[in-house]
Amino acid sequence: MTTIVPVLLSGPDALAALGTSADADGLLVIYSPSTTSASSAIASITSPAVHASVTAHLAADAASSSSVSLLVLPASAGVPGNRLLLSPVVSLLGDTDDVRRYTDAARAALVRAKKAGITRPLVVMDDPLAATRGGPHAARIARDFAQYAEAVLLGLLTETYVPLQAREHFANVGRQPPAAISTIRMAASDAAALQTLTRVCDWVAAVDAGRCIARDVGGADPERMAPLRCAEYIQQAFAGVDNVSVTVVTDLATIKKEYPLLDAVARCSLAVKAHWPAVVRLEYHSAEPSKVKENLFFIGKGVTYDTGGADVKTDGHMRGMSRDKCGAASCAGFMKTVSMLKPTGVNVVATLGFVRNSIGAGSYVSDEILLSRAGVRVLVGNTDAEGRMVMCDLLAESKERALTPKYASIPSRLFTVATLTGHAVLAVGEGYTASLDNGPARESGVTPRLVQAGHKCGDPFEMSTLRREDYDMLQPTSENEDVCQANSKPSSQTSRGHQYPMAFLAIASGLTSHGLDSQHPIAYTHVDIAGSAEEPVSGLSLMRVTGSPVAAFTAAFC
């Protein structure tokens, strides 16, 4: 992982000394032309000659206001590595601008820096809050861009991440990954700014540690991260972490008894021992129980490869299905972040179901009627709707725990987190997470809280709504079953294709008995990350795992 180091730079001499010490080999400047000039962003740490060079460059190159520029300066300029890179925040005041503009500028800066051979960057940011203070846009900028520094750092770290299997390969051959960046230094102009920046760096380091786990698990191939190896990786990632306990269930008889719907999905995978299922539970309890305001229970879908099962994926749609474990991966990552930030106001439990949805003679099939942990008879309609099957009994178990004396005195909030439906991508678009609440969660404002937190930190959510039609769709017309699992069509061809699966989860887990009109209401929120778990890349490589929504969860609950 890349280390972020905040440094105090009191003037040009301090900047030159940093370059001379070889601690930095390039200066990256991230600024918004609409509020701050590039030369003023570095005015306190560079010489007048550097200011003049920057001003002349910007005047000569019209593209510099919308794209990254690299200036090569003489050694006398006192700039580390004699390289100064300008990365503009292309728009700040438009109707749809948000803090991701800073993330974009930071990512573009680091991509260009790596191409230039810069491996030890020093980063300077402008401050949009200070630049607009007292002006007509001050209130909006203060509201929407308060976490601009976090957005910059998260953007930089996104571009330093090296995938797990790449790291393992280079370690095996005794080489460093290309353009590896071990340290990023962040400049602060005075002691107060350094103190603030240090707090920001600590928060970002915790979030990125979680994102790295999410990307490692979510992005590795289906053999490197087969179910049992996912469990092994998580155990290793939390080894020595004294405030998170890890429990792994791999006994097949126990899984069949406790999680019968998950077991049905795993049935065919039992032909290959390496593909056997695993349930992983991570638990964090506040060191100050009197301060706890809420219990959070996360259930993560960890389908390590999804063939579709007997309703097999065709026409190339199986490609990329090693990423169907990103829900569980992000929950594991969030627990890592929680372990580092040590919030006192929450208890957090994450239960992760790792399963391979294989195809073969032992596959579960449509028309089967299965009994859930909650005693609900489920008619299988589509074996490619396996994610809701994997999570259902884990959700039921979390519901049971929320009702025990250990947790019942404090509000509990339950979450299912999954790359569940292609419909979610169509509905909210790439880069966005869809979230919807049951009645108790709606009354306590869970999804609006996630939307607001994601907006502020650049990990955006879109609010969806659970409706009566979602429940109506699943009602049986036979006495053989209590609920229908799915229709026979892909979600992307189904009306309300990302909403109705939550209704199934609520019914089959028994959560419908804990709605607003019950004696013990339980808040339940479904989080579909099919649109945000990955981002497109060029060429034929698989999409890039993002680590979302670790940052939004952290901003909302820590």
Side-chain angles (χ1 to χ4, degrees):
M1 286 179 58
T2 301
T3 302
I4 312 167
V5 179
V7 295
L8 178 62
L9 292 181
S10 54
D13 292 342
L15 178 66
L18 192 64
T20 302
S21 70
D23 284 339
D25 62 354
L27 177 62
L28 280 55
V29 182
I30 298 168
Y31 72 104
S32 170
S34 58
T35 60
T36 309
S37 69
S39 57
S40 65
I42 57 174
S44 66
I45 61 170
T46 57
S47 67
V50 173
H51 306 169
S53 296
V54 169
T55 301
H57 171 80
L58 295 175
D61 184 3
S64 61
S65 63
S66 58
S67 59
V68 180
S69 303
L70 177 65
L71 284 69
V72 179
L73 302 172
S76 59
V79 172
N82 306 323
R83 293 173 288 192
L84 190 154
L85 193 148
L86 303 173
S87 187
V89 178
V90 297
S91 180
L92 198 67
L93 304 177
D95 287 4
T96 59
D97 290 332
D98 59 42
V99 76
R100 288 175 297 167
R101 292 294 191 187
Y102 273 89
T103 302
D104 295 343
R107 293 184 66 173
L110 206 69
V111 168
R112 183 64 182 90
K114 290 194 290 185
K115 289 179 179 178
I118 296 172
T119 59
R120 301 180 304 281
L122 169 67
V123 180
V124 174
M125 305 175 286
D126 74 351
D127 181 348
L129 280 67
T132 58
R133 191 170 292 129
H137 304 290
R140 184 267 175 103
I141 296 299
R143 181 189 68 234
D144 291 345
F145 291 85
Q147 290 187 278
Y148 77 93
E150 289 90 337
V152 165
L153 287 166
L154 289 171
L156 294 169
L157 291 171
T158 293
E159 297 301 334
T160 67
Y161 173 74
V162 179
L164 173 67
Q165 287 177 278
R167 300 198 308 270
E168 292 175 341
H169 167 74
F170 288 115
N172 288 338
V173 299
R175 290 168 46 201
Q176 281 288 324
I181 295 179
S182 61
T183 305
I184 297 174
R185 286 174 169 77
M186 304 296 298
S189 58
D190 56 46
L194 180 64
Q195 187 176 30
T196 299
L197 184 58
T198 299
R199 287 197 300 269
V200 169
C201 289
D202 290 343
W203 188 88
V204 168
V207 170
D208 196 59
R211 292 197 310 177
C212 285
I213 286 178
R215 287 178 288 198
D216 280 358
V217 175
D221 76 36
E223 291 301 316
R224 175 60 186 87
M225 281 295 169
L228 297 176
R229 298 191 74 184
C230 287
E232 178 185 40
Y233 171 93
I234 291 170
Q235 286 177 305
Q236 292 173 351
F238 285 86
V241 177
D242 59 7
N243 59 2
V244 173
S245 64
V246 182
T247 305
V248 177
V249 180
T250 57
D251 179 70
L252 296 181
T254 301
I255 288 174
K256 185 172 185 176
K257 177 177 180 289
E258 301 293 336
Y259 316 111
L261 300 188
L262 182 153
D263 176 71
V265 177
R267 186 197 304 162
C268 187
S269 70
L270 301 184
V272 180
K273 189 169 184 179
H275 298 165
W276 285 9
V279 173
V280 179
R281 181 173 298 106
L282 302 103
E283 299 188 46
Y284 166 88
H285 293 96
S286 170
E288 300 182 58
S290 63
K291 294 184 177 181
V292 174
K293 304 298 183 186
E294 57 190 346
N295 304 308
L296 308 177
F297 293 87
F298 291 89
I299 294 89
K301 172 188 173 184
V303 176
T304 61
Y305 198 72
D306 183 15
T307 68
D311 291 311
V312 64
K313 293 180 183 290
T314 59
D315 297 327
H317 290 108
M318 203 182 297
R319 190 170 193 269
M321 285 298 105
S322 59
R323 305 305 179 59
D324 217 12
K325 56 189 181 303
C326 283
S330 66
C331 290
F334 177 55
M335 293 302 294
K336 182 67 170 181
T337 300
V338 168
S339 76
M340 295 173 68
L341 294 179
K342 303 178 177 66
T344 57
V346 292
N347 297 318
V348 191
V349 179
T351 309
L352 320 175
F354 290 108
V355 178
R356 181 174 172 124
N357 189 20
S358 298
I359 182 170
S363 297
Y364 86 116
V365 296
S366 298
D367 301 354
E368 284 191 52
I369 298 174
L370 303 167
L371 192 66
S372 76
R373 178 188 178 101
V376 177
R377 297 170 299 162
V378 174
L379 172 65
V380 177
N382 189 334
T383 65
D384 199 17
E386 84 297 330
R388 65 201 72 174
M389 303 285 281
V390 170
M391 294 189 294
C392 181
D393 293 326
L394 306 180
L395 180 62
E397 182 182 50
S398 294
K399 172 205 67 181
E400 294 163 13
R401 296 191 72 187
L403 295 170
T404 61
K406 182 175 182 178
Y407 297 104
S409 62
I410 297 169
S412 288
R413 316 198 194 286
L414 277 56
F415 301 83
T416 45
V417 186
T419 49
L420 204 66
T421 64
H423 188 274
V425 185
L426 294 176
V428 303
E430 291 180 347
Y432 295 87
T433 295
S435 179
L436 51 162
D437 295 332
N438 74 348
R442 186 178 66 248
E443 289 300 304
S444 55
V446 175
T447 285
R449 185 174 170 187
L450 288 167
V451 170
Q452 184 178 36
H455 176 72
K456 286 185 175 181
C457 71
D459 189 5
F461 272 62
E462 292 287 333
M463 182 164 61
S464 191
T465 306
L466 186 65
R467 300 288 186 184
R468 60 188 179 186
E469 289 83 0
D470 301 317
Y471 288 97
D472 292 344
M473 176 181 176
L474 301 171
Q475 296 306 307
T477 54
S478 165
E479 295 178 351
N480 287 327
E481 64 271 356
D482 301 309
V483 66
C484 300
Q485 172 234 27
N487 61 7
S488 60
K489 296 179 180 180
S491 68
S492 56
Q493 298 175 22
T494 301
S495 176
R496 301 190 61 81
H498 78 273
Q499 292 101 328
Y500 89 86
M502 180 186 178
F504 168 80
L505 283 161
I507 295 168
S509 68
L511 267 169
T512 47
S513 297
H514 297 279
L516 288 172
D517 57 353
S518 70
Q519 186 176 357
H520 299 289
I522 298 177
Y524 165 43
T525 299
H526 175 56
V527 178
D528 195 327
I529 63 171
S532 61
E534 300 174 280
E535 62 182 9
V537 297
S538 59
L540 295 178
S541 292
L542 295 177
M543 294 173 72
R544 188 177 186 181
V545 175
T546 64
S548 289
V550 171
F553 283 163
T554 306
F557 301 120
C558 295

